Amino acid sequence: MLTRDDLTTLLADTTTPAVSAFLPTHVAGREIAQDSTRLRNLLNEARGQLEQKGMRSTDAMNMLKPGYDLVDDGAYWRHQSHGLAVFLNPRRSIVHKVPIEVPEALFVDDRFHVRPLLPVLAADGHFVLLAVTMKQARLYEGSRFGMTEVPIERLPRGTENLFTVLDRMGESGTRPDDGTTQKPTTANASDTVAYAQSGSQQQVSNDELGQYTTQLAHAMDQWLGGSGTPLVVAADERVAGRYKMANRYPNLVQPVIQTHPDSMSEEELHKVAYECVRPMFEQGRSDSLDRYRMLAGDGSGRGIAEPAQIIEAAFSGRVDRLFLRQGAECWGRWLEDSNRAVIHHGRQDGDREMMEFAAGRVFTTDGRVYELPAEQMPADSPMAATLRY
């Protein structure tokens, strides 16, 4: 999944030329075939622009080859999220599936453009759902618009060894071959675990369940890393309890959804999961806006709305909350020798988009970024921020 570290890596890469391509994609349906065609068209347009800038045709094709390879990979397009971002330069190729629809766009410039990805990493941007049963674990990336299953190779898929006894005894709950009396202990027959009334069988089953949830928790901690993304877990009561014991990820959403996720459709799971995070998102945004208004009016100088001042504060790690107006652009330059931002009224040669530059710096210093419609912005400016000091 896209993380803050991914964003800062892209922003820090100064290899030129750089191609950034964005397109909305489809999870299912006939439209999947159109997605690869649209990427091919964007790449063809990028090749033309690179050649116009003086790049040899063979060099342009070599640089864009990883993108064209994706176009021809039929299996790749059958496992999409809601958006795709492709970054190519002579040194690297980076591709991200994203859980929101990004507008189709192409940038051929001297650095990567990441602005369309900012809503994914915004403080109220998206969440992750882990749906766990004894037999399988499924991972989804979600936003308020929907969610998409994410295949993770290292994610444990179930506790197959726990079902050895039940497979032998069938659904009747009768005596298995070894003569040990068994009884199912969960409410759903498709997710039952057999336990002996005496002896070591129950301890083994508890150990296996503990090992399973520990592996799941470790895989999620590694995958989510320092993203800060809220993690919602849906599992029956017993599995949920074990997972909470094993969890080390600090952004686990409480309470865990105690249900059998296989009994719900993906749409139902999304609705329940988003209801878990929605109040948290709304409260966090409301508290951040209230704090800006307080600081902007108390004379402390810690609530600011002047773009150059915000960018300079972001560079020095002073920005705690950054508010960006949806659809706005702010072009200018960062002067390394004086650590100063220069803002232009329109884009000039050599400029960079300073809102994404500021957001990248805020992400690297553990601040939060909100992208808001104009009517929700706390100031009449494309940017506003609260400062730590």
Side-chain angles (χ1 to χ4, degrees), residues 221-240:
D221 193 44
Q222 281 193 319
W223 189 67
L224 289 163
S227 67
T229 303
L231 169 62
V232 181
V233 172
D236 69 27
E237 182 177 1
R238 190 163 185 276
V239 177

Side-chain angles (χ1 to χ4, degrees), residues 64-80:
L64 299 174
K65 184 178 184 302
Y68 283 114
D69 289 343
L70 275 187
V71 169
D72 298 327
D73 186 349
Y76 179 80
W77 295 99
R78 291 194 291 272
H79 301 282
Q80 287 302 304

Side-chain angles (χ1 to χ4, degrees), residues 86-107:
V86 180
F87 302 96
L88 303 165
N89 67 24
R91 194 169 62 90
R92 71 172 73 200
S93 62
I94 300 173
V95 179
H96 288 292
K97 300 175 185 179
V98 293
I100 62 170
E101 288 190 10
V102 291
E104 184 170 324
L106 174 70
F107 302 92

Side-chain angles (χ1 to χ4, degrees), residues 285-305:
R285 182 170 60 247
S286 177
D287 290 348
S288 295
L289 287 168
D290 287 346
R291 181 164 176 77
Y292 172 85
R293 295 184 184 103
M294 181 189 73
L295 292 174
D298 68 2
S300 66
R302 293 172 56 203
I304 59 177

Side-chain angles (χ1 to χ4, degrees), residues 24-341:
T25 51
H26 298 84
V27 178
R30 301 179 193 176
E31 294 87 353
I32 289 176
Q34 301 172 11
D35 295 339
S36 60
T37 300
R38 289 160 68 190
L39 178 59
R40 184 189 298 277
N41 292 339
L42 288 174
L43 293 172
N44 288 343
E45 182 181 345
R47 184 178 64 184
Q49 291 191 36
L50 289 169
E51 291 175 358
Q52 287 178 4
K53 291 174 180 288
M55 197 173 197
R56 293 189 307 171
S57 177
T58 53
D59 291 338
M61 281 299 297
N62 287 336
M63 183 180 123
L64 299 174
K65 184 178 184 302
Y68 283 114
D69 289 343
L70 275 187
V71 169
D72 298 327
D73 186 349
Y76 179 80
W77 295 99
R78 291 194 291 272
H79 301 282
Q80 287 302 304
S81 186
H82 295 282
L84 188 68
V86 180
F87 302 96
L88 303 165
N89 67 24
R91 194 169 62 90
R92 71 172 73 200
S93 62
I94 300 173
V95 179
H96 288 292
K97 300 175 185 179
V98 293
I100 62 170
E101 288 190 10
V102 291
E104 184 170 324
L106 174 70
F107 302 92
V108 180
D109 213 331
D110 58 355
R111 64 177 65 244
F112 291 134
H113 286 247
V114 301
R115 182 67 190 279
L117 301 183
L118 293 186
V120 180
L121 295 173
D124 55 356
H126 81 303
F127 64 92
V128 168
L129 169 67
L130 178 65
V132 186
T133 69
M134 300 288 189
K135 284 189 173 180
Q136 65 174 340
R138 290 169 292 149
L139 185 63
Y140 298 90
E141 279 191 289
S143 68
R144 65 183 180 273
F145 307 108
M147 65 182 190
T148 305
E149 187 168 0
V150 181
I152 303 295
E153 289 185 4
R154 61 178 175 270
L155 190 69
R157 291 299 176 186
T159 54
E160 295 178 359
N161 54 341
L162 289 176
F163 292 90
T164 304
V165 175
L166 280 183
D167 290 341
R168 296 206 307 265
M169 64 187 278
E171 296 182 356
S172 63
T174 56
R175 190 179 301 273
D177 295 342
D178 61 6
T180 306
T181 302
Q182 308 288 334
K183 64 175 181 179
T185 60
T186 57
N188 191 307
S190 68
D191 196 26
T192 54
V193 181
Y195 297 96
Q197 291 181 343
S198 61
S200 63
Q201 180 77 25
Q202 182 168 354
Q203 182 62 43
V204 170
S205 295
N206 285 336
D207 285 347
E208 289 175 333
L209 179 56
Q211 183 181 16
Y212 175 45
T213 52
T214 297
Q215 289 175 348
L216 281 170
H218 180 67
M220 293 307 301
D221 193 44
Q222 281 193 319
W223 189 67
L224 289 163
S227 67
T229 303
L231 169 62
V232 181
V233 172
D236 69 27
E237 182 177 1
R238 190 163 185 276
V239 177
R242 283 287 186 151
Y243 187 90
K244 285 192 290 184
M245 291 172 59
N247 176 68
R248 295 294 180 269
Y249 181 64
N251 295 96
L252 176 67
V253 177
Q254 300 283 7
V256 170
I257 302 171
Q258 294 190 0
T259 187
H260 194 293
D262 285 353
S263 68
M264 304 174 69
S265 68
E266 187 172 304
E267 182 178 352
E268 290 170 331
L269 277 172
H270 170 259
K271 183 177 180 180
V272 173
Y274 187 68
E275 284 305 307
C276 288
V277 296
R278 182 174 61 83
M280 178 177 63
F281 287 160
E282 292 176 350
Q283 189 63 51
R285 182 170 60 247
S286 177
D287 290 348
S288 295
L289 287 168
D290 287 346
R291 181 164 176 77
Y292 172 85
R293 295 184 184 103
M294 181 189 73
L295 292 174
D298 68 2
S300 66
R302 293 172 56 203
I304 59 177
E306 202 283 311
Q309 188 180 3
I310 292 171
I311 294 162
E312 290 163 11
F315 186 82
S316 62
R318 296 170 57 212
V319 173
D320 182 50
R321 299 290 187 269
L322 175 65
F323 306 95
L324 304 176
R325 190 175 71 208
Q326 289 178 357
E329 292 183 340
C330 186
W331 294 96
R333 299 181 186 181
W334 177 252
L335 305 180
E336 296 281 355
D337 56 345
S338 57
N339 288 340
R340 189 168 63 89

